[in-house]
C-alpha cells in the first residue's frame, strides 16, 4: 500500500522506520536518503536484495543491521537473481498456502552503478527478460565508490577517477556514460525512470509507481558521493540541485517502453560548468587546454534534453 | 494439487531421470537452472513435470549458472524447498555463489553430473568440477549409479533442511556413465517418498515479516573467523543426522548407505580408494584378484564432505598398500583425494603405503583391467614393503607411461 501523505517533508521523513539512521555510510552520502525515500513511500512488506557496494557494506555489519525488513546480500552482481528466486518462492508458497500472512510483498533490489551498469548487468537483464515482479533501483554515483573510486561505465566524460585519471596527458574518462535508462526501457519494462533525491516528491511517486506496477521496473537515481566527487558533505542536496538543474541528470519516466514523460523542467537551466565547478573530480577541466571537454559535455546534455523533449512530444 | 504420476515398482531410468524424479517426489518449490551437458535433462524433466501438472513448483529458467545458484539462494532464504543441477563449466561459474549459499546456511540440493573442465573443451565425465567445490562448505554425496542418484537426492533434502544442519547438499553422479545409462531403478511410491522427505520447516524465513531477517551481512576480522569456525563445526556435526537419515531410508527402502562403503575389506592387504562409477569397476577387479588369491578390497567415501576421517582410518589401517584414484588432473600436485586419504592414514600406527593414480580424465574409460593392473602394483608394494612405482602415475594414458615423484628405492 502506498503512503499518500507525502505533502510535508518532515512528516514524510519519519513516516516509516524500516531503515535505521545508524549506519556507516559517509555523512552526506545520498544512498541513505534514497533508501529512506523508498522505505517511507510504502507500507507493504518488503524483501530487499542488495549488490555489494557502499550501501551493503555500511548497513549490515554483523552483529548489527540497519534493515528492519527482510534483506539479503549475496554478491556484487546478483541482487536481481536473488530477487528473482525470492519472488518465485513467494509465488510457489502462495500457491501451496505456506505463507504466514497474505499481506502483499514487494521485492526491491539495490545496486550501485558499478554493479548495475557493469558486472551485474547480465543478471539484471535476465531478470527483466523473465518478467519478475520487482523494482531495481540503481544508486548512480558514477563510480565504484566502495573500492575507492574507480571508473565505471556510468562515469561521465571528463571525470577523474582512480582508474581513469586526469594527469598531464589525460583529462580523465574519455568514454561517454552508458544510457542505462534507455537500455532498460528497451527491455520492455513496464516502468523505467530516472529520479533524484532532491526532488523527493517525484522520487516518492516514481517509487510508488514502480512498486505498484506488475513486472520488472527500473529506476536510476543520481546519488552524489561526497567522497569521490569531492564536495563538502553538507552540500549533497545542493549538488543534486545542480545536477538536475543543469540537466546533467534529467528527471523523466518511460512507461511501457514508449511513453516518455519529463518529470521536472528547471525554470532556469544552469550551465553545466556550475555543476562541474562544485566538485573536485572535474577541477582539472577548468584549465584552458580542457575547455573543449566542458563544451562537449554541454553539447551532449543539450542534445539529450532535445531528444527527451522530442520523444515526449512524439509519444515514442 | 499435482497430477498423479504413474510409477512402476521397477523403472528403467538413467541417472538424470532418477535425480529429477527425486525432485518431483520431494515437491521442490523452486528450481532455478541453466542447461549444460550432461546434466541438462534433470532440469528439462523438472520443467516437463511443471508443464504437465505433476508438480506445483516454479521453474525459473535463468540466463546463467551463476544466476541459477543466486536465485536458489534467494529462493531458499524465502523459506521453501529448492534444487538445481549443473556440470563442469556451469559448476565452475557457480563456485562464487556456492560459498555464499553455505555461508548463509541455506538448504539447497544441487545435483552435480560430473564432467571435465575446459580447456580443452570436453563434455565427458571426470571429477575436475567436483574438486573445485570441495572447500565450498557443502555436504557432498557420491552416487555410484542411477539408483543411488535417486536415493541420495531424496536423503539430501531431509539432511540439508534438518534444523541441526541447515546446509546445502551436493549429490554427485558421473557424467554419461551414470547420467545417460539406463538401469533398473526401484523408486519409492510418491506417498512413501513424500512422507520420508516431509515438509520444509523454514528457519529465518524472509517471507515471515513478523521477524525481519538480515542475510549476508559483512563481518571482517572481528567476526569472520568465528563464523567460519561455526560453519566448519556445523558441517562436521551433520554426521549424526546423515547417519540417522540413512538408517531411516534403509527402513523404507531396504537399501543401506554408509558414509564409507567398504568392499571385501575385512582381511584386505591391498586396496583401491575411488569415487563414483569407478567404485563398481574396482569391486569387480577386487573380486577377480581374490580369485587369484590376492586379498584385494575397495574403499569408497560415499559422503566426502564432511570427510569421514576416522572411518577411512578404520577401513584402511590394516592394509599394506593403498592406491588412491583421482579423476582430476592435479596441476602439479598430488590428487586431492590422495592428499585426504594420506592425511587420514598418517596418524595410523602402521601407516600403509599410499600411491596416487590419475585416471579417466575427460571420460577416458576406466576398465576392470586398469584396476587389476593397479592392484598388481599394490601387491608388489605389499610384498617388498615399500613403494615400487612412482608415487603418482597416470593410468590409461596413451603413449609412454607418465609417472611423478619417486621414493628412494632400496
Ligand atoms: C566479483 C567481485 N568483483 C569485485 C568486487 C569488489 N567490489 C566490491 S564493491 C565494488 C564497487 C561497487 O561500486 P558500485 O556498484 O558503483 O557501488 P558504490 O559502492 O559506488 O555504491 C567492487 C569493485 C566484488 N565484491 N566482487
Ligand atoms: S564513498 Fe560515496 S557512496 Fe560510499 S558511503 Fe561515502 S559518500 Fe556514500
Amino acid at each position: 500500500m502506498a503512503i499518500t501523505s507525502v505533502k510535508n517533508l518532515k512528516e514524510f521523513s519519519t513516516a516509516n522506520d524500516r531503515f535505521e539512521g545508524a549506519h556507516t555510510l559517509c555523512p552526506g552520502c545520498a544512498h541513505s536518503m534514497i533508501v529512506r525515500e523508498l522505505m517511507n513511500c510504502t507500507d507493504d512488506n518488503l524483501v530487499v536484495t542488495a549488490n555489494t557496494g557502499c550501501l551493503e557494506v555500511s548497513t549490515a555489519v554483523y552483529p548489527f543491521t540497519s534493515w528492519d525488513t527482510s534483506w539479503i546480500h549475496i554478491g556484487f552482481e546478483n541482487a536481481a537473481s536473488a530477487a528473482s528466486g525470492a519472488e518465485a518462492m513467494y509465488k510457489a508458497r502462495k500457491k501451496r498456502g505456506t505463507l504466514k500472512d497474505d499481506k502483499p510483498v514487494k521485492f526491491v533490489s539495490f545496486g550501485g552503478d558499478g554493479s548495475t551498469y557493469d558486472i551485474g548487468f547480465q543478471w539484471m537483464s535476465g531478470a527483466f527478460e523473465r518478467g519478475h515482479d520487482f523494482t531495481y533501483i540503481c544508486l548512480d554515483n558514477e563510480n565504484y565508490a566502495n573500492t575507492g573510486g574507480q571508473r565505471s561505465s556510468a562515469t561521465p566524460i571528463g571525470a577523474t577517477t582512480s582508474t581513469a585519471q586526469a594527469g598531464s596527458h589525460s583529462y580523465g574518462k574519455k568514454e561517454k556514460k552508458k544510457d542505462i535508462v534507455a537500455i532498460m526501457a528497451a527491455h520492455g519494462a513496464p516502468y523505467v525512470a530516472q529520479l533524484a533525491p532532491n526532488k523527493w516528491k517525484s522520487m516518492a511517486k516514481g517509487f510508488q509507481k514502480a512498486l505498484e506496477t506488475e513486472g520488472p521496473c527500473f529506476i536510476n537515481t543520481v546519488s552524489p558521493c561526497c567522497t569521490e566527487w569531492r564536495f563538502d558533505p553538507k552540500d549533497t542536496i545542493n549538488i543534486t540541485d545542480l545536477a538536475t538543474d543543469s540537466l546533467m541528470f534529467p528527471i523523466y519516466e518511460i512507461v511501457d517502453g514508449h511513453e516518455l514523460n519529463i518529470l521536472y523542467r528547471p525554470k532556469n537551466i544552469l550551465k553545466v560548468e556550475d555543476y562541474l565547478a562544485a566538485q573536485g573530480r572535474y577541477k582539472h577541466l577548468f584549465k584552458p587546454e580542457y575547455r573543449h571537454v566542458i563544451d562537449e559535455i554541454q553539447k551532449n546534455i543539450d542534445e539529450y534534453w532535445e531528444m527527451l523533449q522530442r520523444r515526449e512530444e512524439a509519444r515514442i | 494439487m499435482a497430477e498423479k504420476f504413474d510409477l512402476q515398482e521397477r523403472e528403467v531410468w538413467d541417472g538424470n531421470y532418477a535425480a529429477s524424479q527425486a525432485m518431483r517426489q520431494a515437491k521442490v518449490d523452486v528450481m532455478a537452472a541453466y542447461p549444460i551437458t550432461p546434466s541438462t535433462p534433470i532440469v528439462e524433466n523438472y520443467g516437463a513435470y511443471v508443464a504437465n501438472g505433476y508438480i506445483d513448483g516454479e521453474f525459473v529458467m535463468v540466463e546463467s549458472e551463476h544466476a541459477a545458484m543466486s536465485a536458489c539462494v534467494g529462493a531458499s532464504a524465502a523459506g521453501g524447498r529448492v534444487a538445481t543441477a549443473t556440470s563442469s563449466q556451469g559448476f565452475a561459474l557457480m563456485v562464487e555463489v556456492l560459498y555464499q549459499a553455505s555461508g548463509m546456511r541455506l538448504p539447497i540440493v544441487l545435483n552435480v553430473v560430473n564432467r571435465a573442465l575446459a580447456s580443452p573443451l570436453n563434455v565427458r565425465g571426470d571429477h575436475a568440477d567436483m574438486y573445485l567445490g570441495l572447500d565450498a562448505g557443502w555436504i557432498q554425496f557420491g552416487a555410484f549409479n542411477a539408483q543411488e542418484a535417486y536415493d541420495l537426492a531424496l536423503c539430501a533434502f531431509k539432511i540439508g533442511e534438518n534444523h541441526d544442519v541447515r546446509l546445502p547438499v551436493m549429490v554427485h553422479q558421473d557424467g554419461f556413465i551414470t547420467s545417460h545409462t539406463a538401469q533398473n531403478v526401484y523408486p519409492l511410491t510418491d506417498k512413501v517418498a513424500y512422507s520420508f522427505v516431509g515438509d520444509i520447516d523454514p528457519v529465518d524465513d524472509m517471507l515471515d515479516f513478523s521477524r525481519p531477517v538480515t542475510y549476508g551481512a559483512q563481518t571482517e576480522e572481528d567476526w569472520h573467523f568465528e563464523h567460519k569456525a561455526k560453519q566448519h563445526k556445523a558441517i562436521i556435526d551433520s554426521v549424526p543426522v546423515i547417519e540417522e537419515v540413512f538408517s531411516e531410508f534403509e527402513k523404507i527402502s531396504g537399501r543401506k548407505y554408509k558414509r564409507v562403503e567398504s568392499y571385501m575389506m575385512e582381511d584386505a592387504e591391498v586396496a583401491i580408494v575411488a569415487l563414483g562409477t569407478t567404485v563398481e569397476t574396482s569391486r569387480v577387479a577386487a573380486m577377480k584378484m581374490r580369485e587369484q588369491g590376492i586379498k584385494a578390497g575397495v574403499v569408497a567415501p560415499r559422503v566426502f564432505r564432511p570427510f569421514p576421517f576416522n572411518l577411512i582410518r578404520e577401513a584402511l589401517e590394516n592394509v599394506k598398500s593403498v592406491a588412491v584414484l583421482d579423476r582430476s588432473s592435479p596441476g602439479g600436485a598430488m590428487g586431492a583425494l590422495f592428499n585426504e586419504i594420506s592425511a587420514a592414514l598418517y596418524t595410523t600406527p602402521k601407516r600403509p603405503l599410499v600411491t596416487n593414480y590419475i585416471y579417466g580424465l575427460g571420460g577416458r574409460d576406466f576398465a576392470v583391467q586398469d584396476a587389476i593392473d593397479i592392484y598388481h602394483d599394490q601387491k608388489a608394494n605389499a610384498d617388498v614393503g615399500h613403494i615400487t612405482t612412482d608415487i603418482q602415475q597416470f593410468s590409461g594414458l596413451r603413449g609412454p607411461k607418465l609417472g611423478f615423484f619417486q621414493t628412494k628405492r632400496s
Side-chain angles (χ1 to χ4, degrees):
Chain A
M1 195 183 73
I3 291 174
T4 44
S5 60
V6 288
K7 286 179 203 91
N8 162 325
L9 181 57
K10 195 168 171 209
E11 186 191 320
F12 177 61
S13 69
T14 53
N16 203 320
D17 251 338
R18 288 186 286 180
F19 182 68
E20 301 293 333
H23 49 67
T24 57
L25 288 160
C26 300
C29 176
H31 283 7
S32 60
M33 302 174 195
I34 296 162
V35 173
R36 285 191 73 81
E37 290 183 23
L38 181 267
M39 291 297 194
N40 293 356
C41 80
T42 176
D43 270 341
D44 285 335
N45 282 331
L46 290 175
V47 172
V48 177
T49 76
N51 281 333
T52 315
C54 279
L55 179 71
E56 170 266 325
V57 302
S58 306
T59 60
V61 185
Y62 185 86
F64 304 108
T65 181
S66 302
W67 302 89
D68 196 10
T69 189
S70 301
W71 185 88
I72 187 168
H73 157 254
I74 310 178
F76 189 17
E77 61 286 287
N78 46 13
S81 308
S84 305
E87 188 253 7
M89 186 55 81
Y90 173 63
K91 277 198 218 147
R93 292 184 62 188
K94 215 165 145 182
K95 264 193 272 177
R96 292 237 165 100
T98 60
L99 290 170
K100 284 208 170 137
D101 68 58
D102 35 59
K103 212 177 142 186
V105 179
K106 303 284 165 160
F107 297 84
V108 177
S109 299
F110 282 107
D113 53 286
S115 63
T116 306
Y117 288 58
D118 297 341
I119 193 172
F121 182 75
Q122 173 191 305
W123 287 255
M124 177 176 67
S125 176
F128 272 64
E129 184 273 332
R130 293 190 301 275
H132 293 283
D133 187 8
F134 81 123
T135 297
Y136 190 106
I137 299 172
C138 173
L139 305 171
D140 185 0
N141 59 14
E142 303 186 321
N143 77 100
Y144 296 153
N146 185 48
T147 36
Q150 297 80 24
R151 62 95 83 185
S152 81
S153 59
T155 307
I157 295 178
T160 179
T161 76
S162 66
T163 51
Q165 298 212 5
S168 56
H169 289 62
S170 163
Y171 56 80
K173 184 155 181 267
K174 291 175 190 58
E175 304 80 15
K176 245 178 157 172
K177 176 171 179 154
K178 199 190 257 184
D179 188 352
I180 198 78
V181 179
I183 295 167
M184 296 320 291
H187 277 70
Y191 186 76
V192 169
Q194 179 154 278
L195 304 170
N198 58 333
K199 304 291 166 208
W200 61 274
K201 278 190 191 174
S202 71
M203 178 167 262
K205 252 196 220 153
F207 283 160
Q208 288 176 343
K209 258 195 196 170
L211 292 175
E212 275 152 31
T213 303
E214 212 181 304
C217 298
F218 177 81
I219 287 165
N220 199 55
T221 88
V222 55
S223 185
C225 165
C226 39
T227 309
E228 301 303 338
W229 294 17
R230 291 176 229 156
F231 62 82
D232 196 326
K234 72 174 176 15
D235 289 332
T236 306
I237 290 298
N238 295 338
I239 294 282
T240 323
D241 286 342
L242 292 171
T244 51
D245 289 11
S246 65
L247 296 171
M248 188 77 172
F249 259 95
I251 304 303
Y252 63 102
E253 64 183 13
I254 303 173
V255 181
D256 290 330
H258 60 86
E259 186 193 323
L260 191 148
N261 303 309
I262 291 171
L263 301 175
Y264 172 65
R265 284 170 198 281
K267 281 198 197 78
N268 296 314
I269 298 178
L270 302 177
K271 286 268 160 231
V272 76
E273 271 170 84
D274 298 347
Y275 170 70
L276 303 178
Q279 302 165 59
R281 64 175 172 154
Y282 291 117
K283 205 166 145 210
H284 58 285
L285 294 185
F286 291 88
K287 289 182 191 157
E289 65 267 33
Y290 291 143
R291 178 71 230 177
H292 68 281
V293 182
I294 298 183
D295 292 342
E296 190 185 340
I297 298 171
Q298 186 66 62
K299 187 169 151 266
N300 289 342
I301 289 177
D302 295 345
E303 282 173 5
Y304 201 78
W305 183 237
E306 179 69 22
M307 185 274 289
L308 289 179
Q309 288 176 307
R310 285 186 185 202
R311 273 193 66 180
E312 185 184 47
E313 219 175 272
R315 319 304 289 159
I316 49 163
Chain B
M1 264 300 280
E3 302 277 323
K4 191 176 163 343
F5 192 98
D6 281 326
L7 277 181
Q8 309 296 315
E9 195 189 327
R10 188 189 67 188
E11 294 278 347
V12 181
W13 287 350
D14 60 31
N16 279 334
Y17 199 74
S20 63
Q21 281 287 348
M23 287 180 188
R24 183 188 65 78
Q25 289 187 323
K27 300 188 194 172
V28 165
D29 291 299
V30 171
M31 137 88 93
Y34 195 80
I36 182 165
T37 304
S39 66
T40 308
I42 300 181
V43 304
E44 286 175 338
N45 293 337
Y46 181 88
Y49 303 146
V50 172
N52 294 296
Y54 293 122
I55 190 164
D56 293 328
E58 289 288 317
F59 181 35
V60 190
M61 194 58 201
V62 289
E63 81 295 338
S64 75
E65 289 86 352
H66 192 291
M69 190 43 66
S70 307
C72 285
V73 167
S76 182
R81 183 163 289 156
V82 181
T84 188
T86 196
S87 298
S88 185
Q89 308 303 125
F91 186 91
L93 197 53
M94 276 185 187
V95 166
E96 185 196 20
V97 199
L98 297 180
Y99 281 75
Q100 291 153 341
S102 61
M104 290 189 235
R105 304 282 300 274
L106 292 169
I108 295 165
V109 173
L110 172 61
N111 290 277
V112 187
V113 181
N114 293 122
R115 165 184 151 182
L117 285 175
S119 253
L121 183 72
N122 173 301
V123 299
R124 301 279 156 181
D126 73 26
H127 294 161
D129 50 6
M130 174 203 296
Y131 281 28
L132 209 52
L134 288 178
D135 287 351
W138 287 53
I139 292 175
Q140 285 179 268
F141 296 152
F144 309 158
N145 54 40
Q147 179 74 59
E148 298 183 5
Y150 166 81
D151 293 349
L152 294 173
L154 285 175
C155 293
F157 290 106
K158 201 171 165 71
I159 292 164
E161 293 167 8
N162 182 295
H163 285 194
D164 293 334
V165 178
R166 284 170 59 211
L167 284 168
V169 186
M170 288 180 212
V171 182
H172 296 266
Q173 58 173 290
D174 278 352
F176 290 102
I177 315 175
T178 303
S179 66
H180 284 66
T181 310
Q183 300 179 328
N184 283 338
V185 172
Y186 296 85
L188 306 176
T189 64
D190 282 6
K191 210 168 146 221
V192 171
Y194 195 72
S195 76
F196 169 71
V197 179
D199 288 328
I200 186 167
D201 178 14
V203 178
D204 294 337
D205 171 3
M206 285 209 299
L207 296 179
D208 173 6
F209 294 90
S210 64
R211 209 179 136 262
V213 51
T214 289
Y215 270 105
Q218 214 198 352
T219 62
E220 298 311 332
E221 72 279 12
D222 46 357
W223 282 109
H224 190 81
F225 200 6
E226 283 69 24
H227 279 292
K228 284 289 147 187
K230 262 181 96 173
Q231 198 186 327
H232 183 68
K233 184 173 181 308
I235 301 165
I236 301 220
D237 286 352
S238 66
V239 167
V241 177
I242 294 172
E243 290 187 336
E244 205 178 283
V245 171
F246 282 172
S247 91
E248 236 182 279
F249 188 77
E250 186 188 350
K251 283 187 202 120
I252 56 163
S253 69
R255 293 186 288 271
K256 189 178 176 71
Y257 291 111
K258 292 193 197 145
R259 283 189 297 132
V260 172
E261 304 285 357
S262 293
Y263 180 77
M264 302 212 278
M265 286 303 297
E266 296 74 23
D267 59 344
E269 271 185 21
V270 293
I272 279 179
V273 181
L275 299 173
T277 46
T278 310
V279 175
E280 291 191 346
T281 308
S282 306
R283 285 175 180 171
V284 175
M287 223 154 59
K288 291 191 185 285
M289 299 307 289
R290 295 254 167 188
E291 284 162 17
Q292 296 173 31
I294 297 172
K295 291 181 183 163
V298 183
V299 171
R302 144 119 30 245
V303 178
F304 38 90
R305 286 293 181 273
F307 187 72
F309 188 84
N310 287 334
L311 294 181
I312 290 291
R313 276 168 53 104
E314 281 164 30
L316 291 167
E317 64 186 343
N318 293 319
V319 171
K320 291 192 177 134
S321 187
V322 181
V324 182
L325 275 51
D326 275 283
R327 199 165 200 161
S328 171
S329 175
M334 305 303 285
L337 187 59
F338 171 88
N339 284 336
E340 297 197 337
I341 301 292
S342 305
L345 293 178
Y346 192 79
T347 50
T348 59
K350 283 187 270 179
R351 221 185 277 174
L353 301 165
V354 196
T355 44
N356 186 204
Y357 290 80
I358 308 300
Y359 76 103
L361 303 187
R364 173 66 51 86
D365 193 25
F366 183 77
V368 173
Q369 187 56 47
D370 297 313
I372 289 176
D373 292 345
I374 290 170
Y375 276 127
H376 280 302
D377 286 351
Q378 302 316 301
K379 174 69 176 139
N381 293 349
D383 287 348
V384 295
H386 62 82
I387 294 172
T388 58
T389 59
D390 292 330
I391 298 176
Q392 184 185 62
Q393 307 173 49
F394 276 57
S395 159
L397 186 71
R398 270 202 307 269
K401 216 175 153 178
L402 258 191
F404 306 92
F405 311 109
Q406 290 162 4
T407 45
K408 217 170 87 204
R409 308 267 161 83
S410 53

